[in-house]
Amino acid sequence: MAIMVEVLDRNSQRKSLHRLDTNHVTVGRGYEADVQLDDPYIDATHISIDQRDDDTLVINDNDSLNGTLVNGEHSAQASVTERDIITLGRSRMRVFSSQRHVAPAQKLNPMEARIEWMNSVWVAALLALIYAGLNLYSDYLTQFSDVRWGSLLGQTGAQLLVLCVWPLFFGLLAKLNSKEARLTSQFSLLWMTLIITFAISTLEIVLRFNTGQQPWIDTLMLGVVAIICWSFYWLTLFIAFHQPQRRRHMITSVMTFLTLLPLSYFTFHYSDNFSQRASYDSTLLPPAFLLRSPQPVNQLMQDADALFNSVDSLRDAGSDK
């Protein structure tokens, strides 16, 4: 049997692991210590660790200057397990026997191999350029006045910088949990999701352009947004952390619900029938987006006259009452 000494950081994550095939180990700052720690607040041989015949581990403080803490309490001698945190100066560690059982291996998700292509810097850069180009094109279509490309490029660059916060945030969380950041995959996922969202938004515009403001379109688009959000959140967590499927599904569902809650409110409960400051969609759609034959002008005028006559009839009926 061997004694395992696990050195921890301030977040109780592993910094290093030492295996010593002996039943007596010393920990300190001196070169004679079996486990040397670079900490000026630790003595040369700060503590000793002894492994007894029953596999119990006992630590002894060697009359150190700053003492030894076990789970936050000073202790000159204590029996410890892998659940106890030992503090020496500003250093933290755990000690346990090499006979300690580890958790069962998790089944490797086939998705790991399917998204391997996202871990390419060239793929992430290409997807970013595609999204930037689509964003510029969208801004170009909504311009009333002369196009100022310098201003459009500045707005697009600022938007890209803001969007970078998402993958950097989850990369930081992964590092804090001693996991690989995988920033390239996170950025590829972000740009790919935004490109898909742009394509869905374009299809929505074409659909509304050809069918009018049909109520079922709002329900359809909300369902599509739910699928995109759920997939994006699930893959973000999958890339950043190693966690059970059930937990990942639960967190993803909660994040999706919190995203859809305000969207559904503004979609179904916000009415813009009349506003003194009405907003207009200035997107210019070419005739190619019209999937059906255009209505003749004469027919349009007849429909307009019929509509006005219907309104006048309703008004006269109301005044008679």
Side-chain angles (χ1 to χ4, degrees):
M1 291 185 293
I3 297 177
M4 310 295 295
V5 179
E6 183 183 34
V7 182
L8 309 173
D9 60 16
R10 303 303 298 176
N11 296 312
S12 296
Q13 299 299 319
R14 178 185 295 177
K15 291 176 59 178
S16 61
L17 182 65
H18 306 269
R19 176 190 172 99
L20 300 112
D21 296 307
T22 178
N23 58 5
H24 179 79
V25 173
T26 58
V27 179
R29 187 162 46 90
Y31 295 108
E32 66 274 18
D34 298 311
V35 178
Q36 186 186 27
L37 300 177
D38 186 16
D39 187 335
Y41 303 99
I42 293 178
D43 288 12
T45 52
H46 198 101
I47 63 171
S48 300
I49 307 171
D50 295 298
Q51 187 174 35
R52 296 177 178 174
D53 295 337
D54 60 354
D55 207 25
T56 302
L57 293 174
V58 178
I59 65 167
N60 295 278
D61 184 85
N62 297 327
D63 296 326
S64 62
L65 177 63
N66 295 307
T68 301
L69 302 179
V70 178
N71 298 325
E73 297 183 358
H74 282 278
S75 179
Q77 185 182 71
S79 177
V80 296
T81 66
E82 68 272 9
R83 294 184 296 273
D84 297 315
I85 303 296
I86 305 166
T87 304
L88 316 177
R90 290 185 174 177
S91 302
R92 295 154 57 88
M93 67 179 63
R94 277 194 292 252
V95 296
F96 50 89
S97 170
S98 60
Q99 299 300 313
R100 171 193 176 189
H101 296 288
V102 297
Q106 298 182 19
K107 183 177 178 59
L108 184 63
N109 196 309
M111 184 63 68
E112 190 70 44
R114 295 172 186 169
I115 64 173
E116 185 64 29
W117 61 272
M118 298 171 61
N119 198 33
S120 170
V121 176
W122 294 107
V123 170
L126 178 61
L127 292 174
L129 288 175
I130 293 175
Y131 173 71
L134 292 175
N135 193 62
L136 281 172
Y137 180 67
S138 176
D139 291 340
Y140 169 75
L141 289 179
T142 57
Q143 291 293 310
F144 280 115
S145 57
D146 294 338
V147 178
R148 297 180 179 179
W149 289 106
S151 177
L152 290 181
L153 289 172
Q155 293 175 6
T156 301
Q159 185 185 72
L160 293 179
L161 289 177
V162 172
L163 291 171
C164 288
V165 173
W166 179 270
L168 291 174
F169 174 72
F170 278 92
L172 177 61
L173 289 181
K175 292 298 290 184
L176 292 177
N177 286 275
S178 298
K179 302 296 187 297
E180 186 181 0
R182 301 178 69 178
L183 284 176
T184 304
S185 297
Q186 291 283 10
F187 274 105
S188 297
L189 173 63
L190 173 66
W191 305 132
M192 183 179 65
T193 304
L194 291 172
I195 291 171
I196 294 174
T197 303
F198 183 91
I200 296 297
S201 299
T202 303
L203 289 177
E204 179 189 6
I205 294 173
V206 174
L207 191 61
R208 293 186 186 277
F209 185 54
N210 287 273
T211 62
Q213 296 293 333
Q214 300 294 333
W216 59 268
I217 297 180
D218 293 331
T219 304
L220 174 64
M221 295 311 302
L222 194 64
V224 173
V225 170
I227 295 174
I228 293 176
C229 287
W230 199 93
S231 303
F232 175 65
Y233 294 147
W234 191 93
L235 286 171
T236 297
L237 295 175
F238 179 79
I239 293 172
F241 309 110
H242 301 301
Q243 55 188 180
Q245 288 274 46
R246 183 176 180 181
R247 182 180 180 186
R248 187 183 300 118
H249 291 341
M250 181 181 66
I251 297 175
T252 301
S253 300
V254 171
M255 294 174 68
T256 303
F257 174 77
L258 294 177
T259 302
L260 293 180
L261 192 61
L263 289 178
S264 59
Y265 174 79
F266 285 106
T267 300
F268 297 109
H269 297 282
Y270 178 74
S271 176
D272 58 350
N273 293 330
F274 176 77
S275 174
Q276 293 181 345
R277 296 183 178 180
S279 59
Y280 300 95
D281 185 357
S282 59
T283 303
L284 303 177
L285 294 179
F289 283 107
L290 187 62
L291 303 180
R292 60 183 181 178
S293 300
Q295 188 178 21
V297 177
N298 293 335
Q299 183 64 40
L300 177 63
M301 297 302 296
Q302 292 177 7
D303 292 343
D305 290 337
L307 177 62
F308 288 133
N309 293 333
S310 176
V311 171
D312 291 337
S313 299
L314 291 174
R315 183 189 60 190
D316 294 339
S319 61
D320 292 340
K321 295 180 179 180

